[in-house]
Amino acid sequence: PHSAGKNRPAGWTVFVSFPSPVSSVAQTQLGENRSCHETLSKQHEVIKAALCDDDEQIHREVTNLLQTKYAGQIHLIHFYDGMSLLRQLEQKTGVFDLVFVDIRMPGLNGLDTTRQIKRLDESAVVIIITRFEEYLLEGYDVQPFHFLLKPFAQTHFLDVGRRALQYVARVRNRETLFIQTKKQVVPVMLLEILYLQQMAHEIVVCCTGDTYY
């Protein structure tokens, strides 16, 4: 892939893991508080991410931050303006699970870029990055996954990244278990199951959003 910046590298590889589905209904405690890497280490498919920012320093910072936690699991493509990113999406040469977009860029700004990303790929997870808090209210109109203010705090950046990757995993991995409760049949994604517990003659299914008897 080609970036719009002069003599700037594209296609640097960084790395992230994401959750693999529960292998069987009998699998026990998954550990709600496991790290993203521990929970998803068995999944080998690389996550495709894009960074769109006209600041070379931000490209170095994001690359270094991802490498500290997720080296070897994200393929990160670098863009320096919104139009170059959108061209790849329009030509179907780039489909990204996760996109970091700066708001203030020459040409097409980050908010309009995000609108077009979602038009072309509604499943893309977009994180908006900016130095200017006054843009945050307007940014909600494009419904990003999250905002990140520059300069980045490493802990916060990695926490937002972890949650985004877990969300990407849920979108990509939709294996579903149908649970017969006392009142109805409930569809539950396998990735949402935390653990199973036997109580008397019943099996309790504990999930991230609810518990089923």
Side-chain angles (χ1 to χ4, degrees), residues 80-98:
Y80 294 82
D81 65 85
M83 290 306 300
S84 60
L85 169 57
L86 293 174
R87 277 194 296 270
Q88 287 233 354
L89 289 172
E90 289 171 346
Q91 296 166 6
K92 304 300 182 183
T93 54
V95 178
F96 302 104
D97 303 298
L98 177 61

Side-chain angles (χ1 to χ4, degrees), residues 70-120:
Y70 303 119
Q73 298 159 347
I74 290 182
H75 186 61
L76 181 64
I77 311 296
H78 297 257
F79 299 91
Y80 294 82
D81 65 85
M83 290 306 300
S84 60
L85 169 57
L86 293 174
R87 277 194 296 270
Q88 287 233 354
L89 289 172
E90 289 171 346
Q91 296 166 6
K92 304 300 182 183
T93 54
V95 178
F96 302 104
D97 303 298
L98 177 61
V99 185
F100 297 90
V101 180
D102 184 30
I103 289 183
R104 291 186 63 171
M105 296 184 291
L108 196 66
N109 66 45
L111 298 179
D112 289 335
T113 298
T114 300
R115 290 188 183 95
Q116 293 302 313
I117 291 171
K118 289 181 171 290
R119 179 182 65 83
L120 294 166

